[in-house]
């Protein structure tokens, strides 16, 4: 059976991941690819139940270790129930955040032990490493502004948005460090400027990666 392709979108708050995922999905569907859009935390019924606990801040008093375990539990369910079956049937999976968010938010700015984080990642991902990770890179202040504009006046910031600018800046650096350490998996996308310009950068990166994959014999098959 042909294998699909697993693409994750990473980056700080307000980088435009969800808008760009929708646009890429449309573009790929127009080319007759089977596309699955999903997100973390969440993406499967079990993981969506855990999402609420994490984003409401209900787990925050129990510390970053507890949060990291919950993100890992949600990820494991999402991988086994949704992502792996979709890739096995030949779909292109577009996932809004994945393991690099845990490395950055829980590992780096959560201050958790690196060996603990690696062990959790191994269990949660269980070999389902992304074929391509797009790191949407944006000035942290600009990202927070965009996130608060998107939210509107009524809703307050969520558990992670409310943290200080300095923390968001450390996260940006941490995502860039992952990209530098794993250049074969990661592409840094300049997420500044208008939506169309960012979309064009993403389209170039994704179609280049799909072509490389086709050349290497694994197929994400247009239906
Ligand atoms: P969400 O509302 O989906 O925000 P965004 O549009 O920024 O993706 O909230 C997800 C939040 O959860 C986000 O602030 C990052 C955080 N997060 C982690 O801390 N660790 C993780 O492993 C994941 C997947 C997300």
């Amino acid at each position: 059976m042909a294998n699909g392709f697993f693409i994750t979108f990473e980056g700080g708050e307000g980088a435009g991941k969800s808008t760009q995922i929708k646009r890429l999905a449309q573009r790929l569907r127009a080319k007759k690819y089977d596309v699955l859009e999903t997100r973390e935390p969440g993406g499967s019924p079990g993981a969506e139940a855990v999402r609420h606990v994490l984003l409401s801040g209900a787990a925050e008093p129990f510390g970053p270790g507890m949060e990291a375990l919950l993100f890992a539990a949600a990820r494991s369910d999402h991988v086994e129930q949704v992502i792996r079956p979709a890739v096995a049937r030949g779909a292109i999976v577009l996932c809004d955040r994945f393991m690099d968010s845990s490395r950055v938010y829980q590992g780096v700015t959560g201050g958790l032990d690196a060996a603990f984080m690696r062990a959790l990642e191994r269990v949660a991902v269980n070999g389902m490493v992304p074929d391509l990770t797009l790191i949407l890179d944006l000035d942290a202040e600009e990202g927070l502004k965009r996130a608060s504009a998107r939210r509107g006046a009524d809703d307050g910031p969520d558990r992670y948005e409310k943290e200080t600018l300095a923390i968001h800046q450390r996260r940006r650096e941490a995502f860039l460090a992952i990209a530098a350490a794993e250049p074969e998996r990661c592409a840094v996308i300049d997420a500044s400027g208008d939506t169309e310009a960012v979309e064009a950068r993403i389209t170039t990166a994704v179609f280049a990666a799909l072509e490389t994959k086709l050349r290497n014999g694994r197929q994400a098959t247009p239906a």
Side-chain angles (χ1 to χ4, degrees):
M1 179 195 247
N3 267 319
F5 204 65
F6 179 28
I7 305 177
T8 58
F9 287 68
E10 298 278 7
E13 314 295 319
K17 296 184 299 301
S18 46
T19 306
Q20 293 297 341
I21 286 172
K22 280 197 208 99
R23 291 187 174 219
L24 177 63
Q26 267 181 344
R27 191 179 286 274
L28 290 167
R29 286 189 183 116
K31 293 196 179 291
K32 307 289 181 227
Y33 285 103
D34 174 6
V35 180
L36 178 84
E37 292 165 68
T38 188
R39 66 160 181 194
E40 290 208 348
S44 63
E48 288 290 331
V50 178
R51 174 182 175 90
H52 175 71
V53 175
L54 284 162
L55 297 192
S56 67
E60 191 178 1
F62 309 111
M66 172 70 129
E67 290 180 308
L69 282 158
L70 290 170
F71 276 113
R75 180 160 304 127
S76 169
D77 193 67
H78 185 211
V79 163
E80 303 309 341
Q81 301 301 319
V82 175
I83 298 172
R84 196 187 306 281
V87 171
R89 73 164 193 257
I92 298 182
V93 175
L94 307 180
C95 187
D96 191 340
R97 296 194 182 278
F98 193 62
M99 62 186 201
D100 300 302
S101 283
S102 281
R103 289 187 187 178
V104 169
Y105 283 72
Q106 283 66 54
V108 176
T109 57
L112 292 176
D113 176 66
F116 173 73
M117 289 307 298
R118 277 197 299 277
L120 275 188
E121 181 177 292
R122 209 162 39 243
V123 170
V125 171
N126 194 18
M128 201 69 230
V129 176
D131 295 295
L132 173 66
T133 295
L134 299 171
I135 296 189
L136 271 60
D137 181 53
L138 185 65
D139 173 70
E141 201 170 354
E142 172 67 21
L144 288 175
K145 270 191 214 141
R146 284 195 197 170
S148 90
R150 174 186 64 192
R151 220 170 32 237
D154 297 342
D155 291 332
D158 75 18
R159 151 84 178 88
Y160 293 96
E161 285 168 358
K162 72 178 172 9
E163 290 166 323
T164 65
L165 182 59
I167 292 181
H168 290 286
Q169 274 157 350
R170 281 180 62 207
R171 288 184 184 141
R172 180 187 191 194
E173 283 156 25
F175 278 121
L176 292 175
I178 291 172
E182 295 182 50
E184 63 301 329
R185 170 171 70 89
C186 301
V188 177
I189 303 290
D190 174 3
S192 67
D194 61 30
T195 309
E196 285 67 33
V198 180
E199 185 182 359
R201 293 173 199 131
I202 290 175
T203 304
T204 303
V206 167
F207 282 92
L210 283 172
E211 258 169 41
T212 303
K213 179 191 161 103
L214 282 172
R215 259 204 313 279
N216 294 341
R218 289 176 61 205
Q219 272 195 306
T221 27

